[in-house]
């Protein structure tokens, strides 16, 4: 992860943390399909955070948008705190 662009690194960290919580992304899923699946899972309380990070990632990756990394890192910390409970 060390050599990835900051937005790519943040997205990959999110995927790793969610996989550790039992919400692994299938290789065949697009980022939006993955986020949509989590929104449908009534037991998953952080769908909004995943949506926010996914939107930023796709905008950066395919739309050359510059995300607010500071806010996104804060959002990612919500997932980290939730998984450590």
């Amino acid at each position: 992860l060390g050599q990835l662009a900051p937005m790519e690194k943040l997205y990959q960290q999110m995927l790793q943390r969610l996989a550790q919580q039992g919400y692994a992304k299938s290789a065949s899923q697009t980022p939006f399909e993955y986020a949509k699946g989590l929104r449908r899972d009534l037991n998953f309380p952080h769908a909004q955070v995943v949506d926010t990070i996914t939107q930023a990632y796709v905008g950066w990756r395919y739309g050359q948008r510059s995300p607010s990394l500071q806010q996104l890192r804060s959002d990612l910390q919500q997932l980290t705190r939730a998984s450590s409970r």
Side-chain angles (χ1 to χ4, degrees):
L1 290 176
Q3 295 182 353
L4 296 176
M7 185 65 233
E8 178 74 29
K9 181 178 178 179
L10 191 136
Y11 182 73
Q12 293 300 323
Q13 287 173 327
M14 179 190 77
L15 293 178
Q16 285 178 351
R17 290 184 182 141
L18 291 172
Q20 290 169 351
Q21 295 176 32
Y23 298 100
K25 178 186 170 293
S26 166
S28 64
Q29 286 178 302
T30 68
F32 287 140
E33 289 170 340
Y34 177 64
K36 184 177 180 180
L38 291 177
R39 281 194 309 272
R40 289 182 178 166
D41 185 336
L42 298 177
N43 295 319
F44 185 75
H46 304 288
Q48 183 59 47
V49 172
V50 173
D51 277 342
T52 299
I53 294 173
T54 299
Q55 289 283 342
Y57 170 72
V58 171
W60 167 80
R61 180 80 170 93
Y62 301 103
Q64 288 81 37
R65 295 189 192 118
S66 297
S68 170
L69 289 172
Q70 183 176 6
Q71 178 59 47
L72 294 169
R73 285 185 182 114
S74 175
D75 292 340
L76 182 61
Q77 286 178 350
Q78 287 181 34
L79 291 175
T80 302
R81 284 192 297 266
S83 67
S84 65
R85 291 181 189 164

